[in-house]
Amino acid sequence: MASSVACCVCVVGTRPEAIKLAPIIKLLARTPWAKPVTVTTGQQSDLLDNTLCGFGIQSDVGIPYETPLDLGSNLARIIERLDQTFQRIGPQIVIAQGDTTTALAACMAAFYRRIPFVHVEAGLRSGELNSPYPEEYHRRMIAISAAINCAPTERAAQNLINEKVSRDTIHVTGNTVIDALLQTARAKPPIPAQFPKGDKTILLTTHRRESFGQPMREALSAVRSFLDANPDVSVFFPVHPNPTARDVALDVLGSHPQAVLNPALSYRDLVASMQKSWVVLTDSGGLQEEAPALGKPVLILRDSTERPEMVEAGAARIVGTRRASVIGALSELAQSSATYQRMARPAFPYGKGNSAGRIVGLLPSIL
Ligand SMILES: CC(=O)N[C@@H]1[C@@H](OP(=O)(O)OP(=O)(O)OC[C@H]2O[C@@H](n3ccc(=O)[nH]c3=O)[C@H](O)[C@@H]2O)O[C@H](CO)[C@@H](O)[C@@H]1O
């Protein structure tokens, strides 16, 4: 390990990356041999800065946002800008999280400059190259050249081994989202004023590309019908700013008296809402990981999940977006307290909040 302070560039492009890298950035800032530099790529600039700010983190270098480009052009733009940034700053380590264009660009730019790259949340796989698109492709590409692959679970590590990723790069670390969640929950954030009154509120989010169009409309219409049949149930719906998701949300649930639609929440408000909710209904990856740690049943609005650990633990169910399936799953939770109690047992397959420590502890081995 080098004797001087190591510059660790953390590249962040979207809200979930900010949440999952925040515990690492904050820990690096308290680590004597490390200096974190946060680089934002503007992939999701509207949500990103607010999320970082909520963790007390400022972007050190901001790559300017450009009007939405095609996937390939966006990747090329980010690689070029990161390459210039790495040349200027000269980091000893580059860290990125997940499966976004930003994460792939960071990995490639680091590889070409021969800077060791650390991949947080490595080894998630759907098994289908085109689904989720393009994330599954990004995940596989990143694994090949990462110096450290931080797998959240043994299963994720096994996925990497099955792809013949070099074994000495693979470490099971848990998922830093649990660090972020538990740190935030410990501060006892107040419930947002807009959160519906009553004991049975569904926390609903949907914004994934795979859900766009008819699947999202069908799932939200099913929620609407369920509300009509269950006047004691409410929905709290932080709506993603993506217009494709927002327009359907407003159209289907915007006028329902038991539904409160809200702009995207700060992470603190989201965590407080999750703690107060009855059930979490979502197509988000992060919420699937978080809700079981708070003992909240999760119904997954996708046809498959890269997080089978939650389903196996009994805390989550894949319901897809078909009307009968969504209504059936919600009705079962409403009618059977045994089913509800079984799903509401807290589950921690992603660790108990010490993942950032494990990841930072691995870094000296690649300096
Ligand atoms: C294909 C896939 O599954 N990819 C995933 C995707 O992430 P995602 O699907 O989890 O993305 P979102 O749902 O946007 O974010 C969720 C986070 O945001 C918080 N939240 C939510 C609403 C709100 O109003 N306020 C908030 O604060 C919430 O608690 C949670 O922590 O990309 C990540 C990056 O690479 C990957 O890690 C991850 O696999």
Side-chain angles (χ1 to χ4, degrees), residues 14-17 19-20 44 47 51 97-100 103 121 124 132 135 139 177 205 207-208 210 238-240 263-268 270-271 274 282-290 302 306-307:
T14 64
R15 170 176 68 189
E17 292 163 78
I19 293 166
K20 289 173 171 177
Q44 207 179 58
L47 293 179
T51 308
Q97 184 280 334
D99 48 28
T100 59
E121 198 179 273
L124 267 64
E135 287 88 351
R139 296 166 179 162
V177 78
T205 79
H207 75 284
R208 301 284 324 163
E210 307 83 81
V239 179
H240 198 277
L265 296 171
S266 71
Y267 190 58
R268 275 164 52 92
L270 191 285
V271 171
M274 197 157 35
T282 189
D283 61 4
S284 155
L287 277 153
Q288 288 175 50
E289 294 156 347
E290 293 163 332
R302 298 194 194 187
E306 314 86 332
R307 298 165 173 87

Side-chain angles (χ1 to χ4, degrees), residues 115-233:
I115 306 165
F117 177 78
V118 178
H119 188 211
V120 177
E121 198 179 273
L124 267 64
R125 294 292 183 272
S126 70
E128 286 177 48
L129 185 60
N130 285 293
S131 177
Y133 177 89
E135 287 88 351
E136 178 82 357
Y137 171 69
H138 293 167
R139 296 166 179 162
R140 295 193 200 182
M141 292 283 288
I142 293 169
I144 300 168
S145 65
I148 300 181
N149 279 294
C150 305
T153 61
E154 290 290 348
R155 181 191 299 263
Q158 190 58 49
N159 288 339
L160 294 167
I161 292 167
N162 294 347
E163 286 172 14
K164 307 219 173 341
V165 171
S166 175
R167 276 186 189 241
D168 55 3
T169 68
I170 304 170
H171 301 267
V172 178
T173 59
N175 194 319
T176 52
V177 78
I178 305 299
D179 303 33
L181 174 73
L182 298 183
Q183 284 164 21
T184 305
R186 262 196 298 276
K188 301 201 185 331
I191 298 156
Q194 321 83 291
F195 195 88
K197 308 287 173 251
D199 296 334
K200 273 195 183 162
T201 297
I202 300 168
L203 177 65
L204 169 64
T205 79
T206 174
H207 75 284
R208 301 284 324 163
R209 191 181 285 112
E210 307 83 81
S211 311
F212 284 170
Q214 185 51 28
M216 191 177 284
R217 187 168 286 278
E218 183 167 345
L220 295 183
S221 303
V223 172
R224 192 181 166 95
S225 301
F226 181 76
L227 290 178
D228 288 340
N230 293 272
D232 59 329
V233 177

Side-chain angles (χ1 to χ4, degrees), residues 49-360:
D49 290 340
N50 289 344
T51 308
L52 279 176
C53 194
F55 286 96
I57 298 169
Q58 298 273 327
S59 165
D60 297 301
V61 180
I63 293 177
Y65 173 77
E66 281 176 30
T67 38
L69 300 168
D70 290 340
L71 289 172
S73 307
N74 201 26
L75 176 69
R77 171 187 76 92
I78 301 175
I79 292 176
E80 188 182 13
R81 297 302 185 97
L82 286 177
D83 184 58
Q84 293 158 359
T85 306
F86 295 169
Q87 187 179 28
R88 187 162 52 78
I89 299 179
Q92 274 81 56
I93 291 177
V94 172
I95 305 172
Q97 184 280 334
D99 48 28
T100 59
T101 303
T102 292
L104 177 59
C107 172
M108 292 175 78
F111 183 77
Y112 286 126
R113 292 242 164 236
R114 295 192 179 278
I115 306 165
F117 177 78
V118 178
H119 188 211
V120 177
E121 198 179 273
L124 267 64
R125 294 292 183 272
S126 70
E128 286 177 48
L129 185 60
N130 285 293
S131 177
Y133 177 89
E135 287 88 351
E136 178 82 357
Y137 171 69
H138 293 167
R139 296 166 179 162
R140 295 193 200 182
M141 292 283 288
I142 293 169
I144 300 168
S145 65
I148 300 181
N149 279 294
C150 305
T153 61
E154 290 290 348
R155 181 191 299 263
Q158 190 58 49
N159 288 339
L160 294 167
I161 292 167
N162 294 347
E163 286 172 14
K164 307 219 173 341
V165 171
S166 175
R167 276 186 189 241
D168 55 3
T169 68
I170 304 170
H171 301 267
V172 178
T173 59
N175 194 319
T176 52
V177 78
I178 305 299
D179 303 33
L181 174 73
L182 298 183
Q183 284 164 21
T184 305
R186 262 196 298 276
K188 301 201 185 331
I191 298 156
Q194 321 83 291
F195 195 88
K197 308 287 173 251
D199 296 334
K200 273 195 183 162
T201 297
I202 300 168
L203 177 65
L204 169 64
T205 79
T206 174
H207 75 284
R208 301 284 324 163
R209 191 181 285 112
E210 307 83 81
S211 311
F212 284 170
Q214 185 51 28
M216 191 177 284
R217 187 168 286 278
E218 183 167 345
L220 295 183
S221 303
V223 172
R224 192 181 166 95
S225 301
F226 181 76
L227 290 178
D228 288 340
N230 293 272
D232 59 329
V233 177
S234 316
V235 161
F236 190 45
F237 188 177
V239 179
H240 198 277
N242 183 318
T244 313
R246 193 185 53 209
D247 292 351
V248 182
L250 289 171
D251 189 33
V252 180
L253 281 171
S255 62
H256 199 286
Q258 289 152 253
V260 176
L261 275 62
N262 207 76
L265 296 171
S266 71
Y267 190 58
R268 275 164 52 92
D269 282 354
L270 191 285
V271 171
S273 303
M274 197 157 35
Q275 286 178 302
K276 183 71 180 152
S277 67
W278 169 62
V279 168
V280 175
L281 181 64
T282 189
D283 61 4
S284 155
L287 277 153
Q288 288 175 50
E289 294 156 347
E290 293 163 332
L294 297 179
K296 299 297 170 180
V298 188
L299 301 179
I300 304 171
L301 295 170
R302 298 194 194 187
D303 294 330
S304 63
T305 180
E306 314 86 332
R307 298 165 173 87
E309 296 88 353
M310 291 313 191
V311 179
E312 288 160 5
R317 260 181 78 180
I318 297 173
V319 298
T321 51
R322 303 308 294 264
R323 179 183 171 80
S325 174
V326 173
I327 293 180
L330 286 170
S331 302
E332 194 181 338
L333 284 170
Q335 285 156 18
S336 163
S337 67
T339 304
Y340 185 88
Q341 292 308 331
R342 240 190 341 267
M343 289 189 75
R345 274 198 285 268
F348 295 93
Y350 299 112
K352 290 204 165 170
N354 54 356
S355 299
R358 289 197 199 167
I359 291 168
V360 171

